[in-house]
């Protein structure tokens, strides 16, 4: 599990070390210089075409990549390959600028041509002296001209963004904001024309992101790599800031795991954590102990949603799937999945709403959803409903909520659906507002409804009470019709398998939901293999992904 530490938690962890004289900045700067040297050497030895230069930060759809966490490959590159390369340092007033200056001094001593642009009249004095002593060029705040910065950056091999780190508050102020805005424009022009653009390394965080909340309140220079110190910060995991962080790597400066937050608020689940959520059947199990998933999905208008939910549930190992609906839907489900049962009966989880429009055009499906919701919320007697069970509430079912939901209910909107849900709760929001501040709105929905909220996107966020998971394993190819239906079925299966545990400890729900998102993203990646993927392919890849995750 990746645990992110807030700015305050980082400061609290640093304090005793700094008081004891631990050279944290020295460690940070050395790690930064090592990374910059290795990146420049690797790119030079690979021979960087303009396309290659941008490949680190851009996804296939042209949107900066989701900040995947993977270690850099450093072995086998010669440091001499960086000799004569140009580095530009963007240096702010605080310790973040200090890191960049000290790292720049190392780079200059390694033979790189280093230019530092100071955006404040007073910067880290020792760092500045170190850079000057190493022969770096320094452009003072009073001499700063935006076109010159843009020109130098465009001609550089590597840029270290040290404008602001965990001391950041709000959008970048002048002159940093103006410089970064101009650089973002220049980068876009370079991308359009295929002109070269340097490798950008963010020092600790891309300057200008909301370190604790993942917001992007103003201009931010997208990084190819973020070298963050001590621990991840929430903004490196959460969208939209995660999209401008590039590849995130943690430099161990010796903060020590013991001094982190007691209860980390922002997490990223890894494969081993997802494996721990799965319930593997044993000799004493039969289909009912493994969990029955009840599905109310699909209508005459959208029958495929029922088929895809069933596929997600069956292929992820449900003991049994019960699909309820009109025969136009259930016949199609049976044709594709003869193992599905279409008679009513007890279930351990519900999947409600995919393919059911909120226009009331299928009264039968609406009635089934209302009945199941009554079981989830417990408003009807257990004798009638068969008892409270966890649920996935998707698409049309999200428009049918009449009561406050328990945490064992998972709402699974995409941004458009969350906007609709929040408008129904009296908020003036549209899809763009949700996309600009997905975490804020997912948390607002969690508070307003009581449910666990799983907001789908390139980075999917799962909000339970007091915890947010941010998962980024899905390739952009997964943005295809029906992929969300497969996720709903998969999550239904995981909830049914862990229904007793989830009922005993509802806070487990967000963990189960995050595991489903991990498996779904992995299945999308496996089925895609770098190319297009259909929702059916994703469901078909689930058995292999689950086996792989369990085997690790
Ligand atoms: N505390 C330590 O000893 C260590 C800190 N480290 C570095 O120090 C950083 C934190 O240093 P600081 O606490 O000095 O804070 P920062 O360097 O992040 O920022 C502080 C400065 O930025 C300005 N600032 C804040 N918001 C701004 C905005 N929106 N626009 C423009 N300027 C803005 C402030 O006025 C202040 O001058 C970390 O991110 C990390 O890079 C590392 O060296 C490791 C050790
Ligand atoms: N840019 C993207 N990169 C990766 N995954 C994405 C991206 N956009 C959407 N997704 C994922 O694709 C799936 C789409 O689901 P959804 O919008 O519900 O589609 P549908 O309702 O047609 O099934 C979700 O799992 C979502 O997280
Ligand atoms: K920075």
């Amino acid at each position: 599990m990746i645990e992110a530490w807030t700015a305050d938690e980082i400061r609290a962890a640093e304090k005793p070390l700094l008081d004891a004289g631990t050279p944290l900045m020295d460690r940070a700067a050395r790690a930064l210089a090592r990374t910059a040297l290795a990146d420049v050497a690797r790119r030079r030895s690979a021979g960087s075409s303009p396309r290659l230069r941008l490949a680190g930060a851009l996804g296939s759809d042209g949107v900066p990549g989701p900040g995947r966490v993977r270690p850099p490959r450093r072995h086998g590159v010669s440091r001499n390959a960086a000799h004569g390369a140009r580095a530009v340092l963007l240096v702010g007033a605080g310790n973040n600028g200090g890191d960049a200056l000290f790292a720049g001094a190392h780079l200059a001593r390694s033979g790189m041509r280093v230019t530092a642009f100071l955006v404040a009249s007073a910067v880290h004095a020792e760092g500045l002296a170190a850079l000057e002593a190493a022969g770096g060029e320094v452009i003072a705040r009073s001499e700063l001209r935006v076109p010159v910065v843009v020109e130098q950056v465009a001609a550089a091999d590597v840029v270290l963004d040290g404008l602001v780190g965990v001391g950041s508050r709000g959008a970048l102020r002048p002159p940093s904001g103006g410089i970064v805005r101009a650089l973002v424009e220049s980068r876009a022009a370079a991308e359009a024309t295929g002109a070269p653009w340097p490798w950008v390394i963010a020092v600790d965080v891309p300057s200008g992101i909301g370190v604790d909340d993942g917001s992007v309140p103003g201009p931010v220079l997208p990084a190819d790599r973020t070298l963050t110190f001590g621990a991840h910060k929430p903004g490196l995991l959460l969208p939209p800031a995660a999209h401008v962080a590039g590849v995130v790597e943690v430099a161990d400066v010796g903060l020590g795991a013991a001094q982190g937050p007691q209860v980390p608020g922002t997490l990223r689940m890894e494969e081993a954590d997802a494996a721990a959520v799965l319930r593997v059947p044993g000799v004493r199990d039969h289909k009912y102990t493994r969990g029955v998933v009840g599905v109310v999905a699909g209508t005459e208008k959208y029958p495929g949603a029922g088929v895809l939910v069933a596929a997600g549930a069956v292929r992820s190992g449900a003991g049994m799937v019960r699909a309820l609906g009109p025969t136009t839907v259930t016949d199609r489900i049976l044709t594709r999945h003869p193992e599905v049962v279409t008679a009513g009966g007890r279930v351990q989880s519900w999947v409600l709403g995919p393919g059911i429009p909120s226009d009331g055009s299928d009264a039968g499906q609406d009635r089934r959803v209302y009945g199941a919701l009554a079981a989830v919320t417990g408003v009807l007697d257990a004798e009638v409903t068969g008892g409270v069970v966890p649920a996935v509430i998707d698409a049309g079912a999200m428009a049918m909520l009449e009561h406050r939901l328990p945490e064992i209910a998972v709402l699974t909107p995409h941004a458009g659906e969350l906007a609709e849900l929040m408008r129904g709760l009296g908020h003036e929001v549209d899809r763009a507002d949700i996309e600009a501040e997905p975490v804020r709105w997912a948390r607002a929905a969690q508070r307003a409804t009581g449910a666990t909220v799983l907001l789908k996107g390139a980075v999917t966020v799962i909000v339970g009470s007091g915890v947010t998971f941010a998962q980024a394993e899905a390739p952009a190819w997964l943005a295809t019709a029906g992929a969300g239906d497969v996720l709903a079925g998969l999550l239904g299966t995981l909830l049914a398998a862990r229904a007793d545990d989830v009922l005993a400890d509802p806070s487990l729900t967000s963990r189960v939901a995050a595991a489903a998102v991990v498996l779904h993203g992995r299945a999308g990646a496996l089925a895609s293999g770098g190319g297009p993927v259909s929702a059916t392919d994703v469901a078909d890849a689930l058995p292999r992904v689950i086996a792989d995750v369990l085997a690790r």
Side-chain angles (χ1 to χ4, degrees), residues 11 14 18 24-25 28 93-97 99 163-173 176 203-204 229:
R11 285 189 202 290
E14 280 172 350
L18 292 172
L24 291 182
M25 187 177 282
N95 289 330
N96 195 249
D99 296 339
L163 292 172
V164 64
V166 297
S168 168
R169 295 285 170 273
L172 288 176
R173 295 190 296 269
S176 304
V203 180
D204 208 12
F229 305 126

CSV table of all heavy atoms in Angstrom, one decimal, residues 11 14 18 24-25 28 93-97 99 163-173 176 203-204 229, ligand 1:
chain,number,residue,atom,x,y,z
A,11,ARG,N,6.3,17.6,7.6
A,11,ARG,CA,7.0,18.5,8.5
A,11,ARG,C,7.2,17.9,9.9
A,11,ARG,O,8.2,18.1,10.5
A,11,ARG,CB,6.2,19.9,8.7
A,11,ARG,CG,6.3,20.7,7.4
A,11,ARG,CD,5.7,22.1,7.7
A,11,ARG,NE,5.4,22.7,6.4
A,11,ARG,CZ,6.3,23.2,5.6
A,11,ARG,NH1,7.6,23.1,5.8
A,11,ARG,NH2,5.9,23.8,4.4
A,14,GLU,N,9.8,15.4,9.8
A,14,GLU,CA,11.2,16.0,9.6
A,14,GLU,C,11.7,16.7,10.8
A,14,GLU,O,12.9,16.7,11.0
A,14,GLU,CB,11.1,17.1,8.5
A,14,GLU,CG,11.1,16.6,7.1
A,14,GLU,CD,10.8,17.8,6.1
A,14,GLU,OE1,10.4,18.9,6.6
A,14,GLU,OE2,10.9,17.5,4.9
A,18,LEU,N,15.6,17.2,11.8
A,18,LEU,CA,16.3,18.5,11.5
A,18,LEU,C,16.9,19.0,12.8
A,18,LEU,O,18.0,19.6,12.9
A,18,LEU,CB,15.3,19.5,10.9
A,18,LEU,CG,14.9,19.2,9.5
A,18,LEU,CD1,13.7,20.1,9.0
A,18,LEU,CD2,16.0,19.3,8.5
A,24,LEU,N,19.0,16.5,5.7
A,24,LEU,CA,17.9,16.1,4.8
A,24,LEU,C,18.1,16.7,3.5
A,24,LEU,O,17.9,16.1,2.4
A,24,LEU,CB,16.6,16.4,5.4
A,24,LEU,CG,16.1,15.7,6.7
A,24,LEU,CD1,14.7,16.1,7.1
A,24,LEU,CD2,16.2,14.2,6.4
A,25,MET,N,18.4,18.1,3.4
A,25,MET,CA,18.4,18.7,2.2
A,25,MET,C,19.6,18.2,1.3
A,25,MET,O,19.5,18.1,0.1
A,25,MET,CB,18.6,20.2,2.3
A,25,MET,CG,18.5,21.0,1.0
A,25,MET,SD,18.5,22.8,1.2
A,25,MET,CE,16.9,23.1,1.7
A,28,ALA,N,18.4,15.0,-0.1
A,28,ALA,CA,17.4,15.3,-1.2
A,28,ALA,C,18.1,15.8,-2.5
A,28,ALA,O,17.9,15.3,-3.6
A,28,ALA,CB,16.4,16.3,-0.7
A,93,ALA,N,11.8,30.7,-3.4
A,93,ALA,CA,12.4,31.3,-2.2
A,93,ALA,C,12.6,30.3,-1.1
A,93,ALA,O,13.5,30.6,-0.2
A,93,ALA,CB,11.4,32.4,-1.7
A,94,GLY,N,12.0,29.2,-1.1
A,94,GLY,CA,12.1,28.3,0.1
A,94,GLY,C,13.1,27.2,-0.1
A,94,GLY,O,14.0,27.2,-0.9
A,95,ASN,N,12.9,26.1,0.8
A,95,ASN,CA,13.8,25.0,0.7
A,95,ASN,C,13.7,24.2,-0.5
A,95,ASN,O,14.7,23.5,-0.9
A,95,ASN,CB,13.5,24.1,2.0
A,95,ASN,CG,14.0,24.8,3.2
A,95,ASN,OD1,14.9,25.6,3.3
A,95,ASN,ND2,13.3,24.5,4.3
A,96,ASN,N,12.6,24.2,-1.2
A,96,ASN,CA,12.4,23.5,-2.5
A,96,ASN,C,13.4,24.1,-3.5
A,96,ASN,O,14.1,23.4,-4.2
A,96,ASN,CB,11.0,23.7,-3.0
A,96,ASN,CG,10.6,22.7,-4.1
A,96,ASN,OD1,10.4,23.1,-5.2
A,96,ASN,ND2,10.5,21.4,-3.7
A,97,GLY,N,13.5,25.4,-3.5
A,97,GLY,CA,14.5,26.1,-4.3
A,97,GLY,C,15.9,25.7,-3.9
A,97,GLY,O,16.9,25.5,-4.7
A,99,ASP,N,16.9,22.8,-2.5
A,99,ASP,CA,17.1,21.5,-3.1
A,99,ASP,C,17.6,21.6,-4.5
A,99,ASP,O,18.6,21.0,-4.9
A,99,ASP,CB,15.9,20.6,-3.2
A,99,ASP,CG,15.3,20.3,-1.8
A,99,ASP,OD1,16.0,20.4,-0.8
A,99,ASP,OD2,14.1,20.0,-1.7
A,163,LEU,N,10.4,25.6,-7.8
A,163,LEU,CA,9.7,26.9,-7.5
A,163,LEU,C,9.1,26.8,-6.1
A,163,LEU,O,9.3,27.7,-5.3
A,163,LEU,CB,8.6,27.2,-8.5
A,163,LEU,CG,9.2,27.6,-9.9
A,163,LEU,CD1,8.0,27.7,-10.9
A,163,LEU,CD2,10.0,28.9,-9.8
A,164,VAL,N,8.4,25.8,-5.8
A,164,VAL,CA,7.7,25.6,-4.5
A,164,VAL,C,7.4,24.2,-4.3
A,164,VAL,O,7.2,23.4,-5.2
A,164,VAL,CB,6.4,26.5,-4.5
A,164,VAL,CG1,5.4,26.1,-5.5
A,164,VAL,CG2,5.8,26.6,-3.2
A,165,GLY,N,7.5,23.8,-3.0
A,165,GLY,CA,7.3,22.4,-2.6
A,165,GLY,C,6.1,22.3,-1.7
A,165,GLY,O,5.0,22.8,-1.9
A,166,VAL,N,6.3,21.6,-0.5
A,166,VAL,CA,5.2,21.4,0.4
A,166,VAL,C,4.8,22.7,1.2
A,166,VAL,O,3.8,22.7,1.9
A,166,VAL,CB,5.5,20.3,1.4
A,166,VAL,CG1,5.7,18.9,0.7
A,166,VAL,CG2,6.7,20.6,2.3
A,167,GLY,N,5.6,23.8,0.9
A,167,GLY,CA,5.2,25.0,1.5
A,167,GLY,C,4.3,25.8,0.6
A,167,GLY,O,3.9,27.0,0.9
A,168,SER,N,3.8,25.2,-0.4
A,168,SER,CA,2.9,25.9,-1.4
A,168,SER,C,1.6,26.2,-0.9
A,168,SER,O,1.0,25.4,-0.2
A,168,SER,CB,2.8,25.0,-2.6
A,168,SER,OG,1.8,25.4,-3.5
A,169,ARG,N,1.1,27.4,-1.2
A,169,ARG,CA,-0.3,27.8,-0.8
A,169,ARG,C,-1.0,28.3,-2.1
A,169,ARG,O,-0.6,29.4,-2.6
A,169,ARG,CB,-0.3,28.8,0.3
A,169,ARG,CG,0.2,28.4,1.6
A,169,ARG,CD,-0.8,27.5,2.3
A,169,ARG,NE,-0.2,26.9,3.5
A,169,ARG,CZ,0.5,25.7,3.5
A,169,ARG,NH1,0.6,25.1,2.4
A,169,ARG,NH2,1.0,25.2,4.6
A,170,GLY,N,-2.0,27.7,-2.6
A,170,GLY,CA,-2.8,28.2,-3.7
A,170,GLY,C,-2.1,28.2,-5.0
A,170,GLY,O,-1.0,27.6,-5.2
A,171,ALA,N,-2.6,28.9,-6.0
A,171,ALA,CA,-2.0,29.0,-7.3
A,171,ALA,C,-0.7,29.8,-7.2
A,171,ALA,O,-0.5,30.6,-6.4
A,171,ALA,CB,-3.0,29.7,-8.3
A,172,LEU,N,0.2,29.4,-8.2
A,172,LEU,CA,1.5,30.1,-8.2
A,172,LEU,C,1.3,31.6,-8.4
A,172,LEU,O,0.5,32.1,-9.2
A,172,LEU,CB,2.3,29.6,-9.4
A,172,LEU,CG,2.9,28.2,-9.2
A,172,LEU,CD1,3.7,27.8,-10.5
A,172,LEU,CD2,3.9,28.1,-8.0
A,173,ARG,N,2.0,32.4,-7.6
A,173,ARG,CA,1.9,33.8,-7.7
A,173,ARG,C,3.0,34.4,-8.6
A,173,ARG,O,3.9,33.7,-8.9
A,173,ARG,CB,2.1,34.4,-6.3
A,173,ARG,CG,1.0,34.1,-5.3
A,173,ARG,CD,1.2,34.9,-4.0
A,173,ARG,NE,2.4,34.6,-3.3
A,173,ARG,CZ,2.5,33.7,-2.3
A,173,ARG,NH1,1.5,32.9,-2.0
A,173,ARG,NH2,3.7,33.5,-1.7
A,176,SER,N,6.3,33.6,-10.6
A,176,SER,CA,6.3,32.1,-10.9
A,176,SER,C,5.2,31.7,-11.8
A,176,SER,O,5.3,31.0,-12.8
A,176,SER,CB,6.3,31.3,-9.7
A,176,SER,OG,7.3,31.6,-8.8
A,203,VAL,N,10.8,18.9,-8.4
A,203,VAL,CA,11.5,18.7,-7.1
A,203,VAL,C,10.4,18.6,-6.0
A,203,VAL,O,9.6,19.5,-5.8
A,203,VAL,CB,12.4,19.9,-6.8
A,203,VAL,CG1,13.1,19.7,-5.4
A,203,VAL,CG2,13.4,20.1,-7.9
A,204,ASP,N,10.3,17.4,-5.5
A,204,ASP,CA,9.3,17.0,-4.4
A,204,ASP,C,7.9,17.0,-5.0
A,204,ASP,O,7.2,15.9,-4.8
A,204,ASP,CB,9.4,18.0,-3.2
A,204,ASP,CG,8.9,17.3,-1.9
A,204,ASP,OD1,8.8,16.1,-1.9
A,204,ASP,OD2,8.7,18.1,-0.9
A,229,PHE,N,10.4,13.5,-1.7
A,229,PHE,CA,11.3,13.2,-0.6
A,229,PHE,C,10.6,12.6,0.6
A,229,PHE,O,9.6,13.1,1.1
A,229,PHE,CB,12.0,14.5,-0.2
A,229,PHE,CG,12.7,15.1,-1.4
A,229,PHE,CD1,12.5,16.5,-1.7
A,229,PHE,CD2,13.6,14.4,-2.2
A,229,PHE,CE1,13.1,17.1,-2.8
A,229,PHE,CE2,14.2,15.0,-3.3
A,229,PHE,CZ,14.0,16.3,-3.6
B,1,LIG,N1,12.4,20.8,5.7
B,1,LIG,C1,13.5,20.3,5.2
B,1,LIG,O1,14.6,20.4,5.8
B,1,LIG,C2,13.5,19.6,3.9
B,1,LIG,C3,12.7,20.1,3.0
B,1,LIG,N2,12.9,19.8,1.8
B,1,LIG,C4,12.4,20.7,0.7
B,1,LIG,O2,11.8,21.8,1.3
B,1,LIG,C5,10.5,22.0,0.7
B,1,LIG,C6,9.7,22.7,1.7
B,1,LIG,O3,10.4,23.9,1.9
B,1,LIG,P1,9.7,25.2,2.5
B,1,LIG,O4,9.0,24.9,3.8
B,1,LIG,O5,10.8,26.3,2.5
B,1,LIG,O6,8.6,25.6,1.5
B,1,LIG,P2,8.7,25.7,-0.1
B,1,LIG,O7,10.0,25.8,-0.6
B,1,LIG,O8,7.8,24.7,-0.6
B,1,LIG,O9,7.9,27.1,-0.3
B,1,LIG,C7,8.1,28.2,0.5
B,1,LIG,C8,8.2,29.5,-0.3
B,1,LIG,O10,7.3,29.4,-1.4
B,1,LIG,C9,6.5,30.6,-1.4
B,1,LIG,N3,5.2,30.2,-1.9
B,1,LIG,C10,4.2,29.5,-1.3
B,1,LIG,N4,3.1,29.4,-2.0
B,1,LIG,C11,3.4,30.0,-3.2
B,1,LIG,C12,2.7,30.3,-4.4
B,1,LIG,N5,1.4,29.8,-4.5
B,1,LIG,N6,3.3,31.0,-5.4
B,1,LIG,C13,4.5,31.5,-5.2
B,1,LIG,N7,5.3,31.3,-4.1
B,1,LIG,C14,4.7,30.6,-3.1
B,1,LIG,C15,6.4,31.0,0.1
B,1,LIG,O11,6.1,32.4,0.2
B,1,LIG,C16,7.8,30.7,0.5
B,1,LIG,O12,8.7,31.7,0.1
B,1,LIG,C17,10.0,20.6,0.4
B,1,LIG,O13,9.1,20.6,-0.6
B,1,LIG,C18,11.3,20.0,-0.1
B,1,LIG,O14,11.5,20.3,-1.4
B,1,LIG,C19,14.0,18.9,1.4
B,1,LIG,O15,15.2,19.6,1.3
B,1,LIG,C20,14.2,17.8,2.4
B,1,LIG,C21,14.5,18.5,3.7
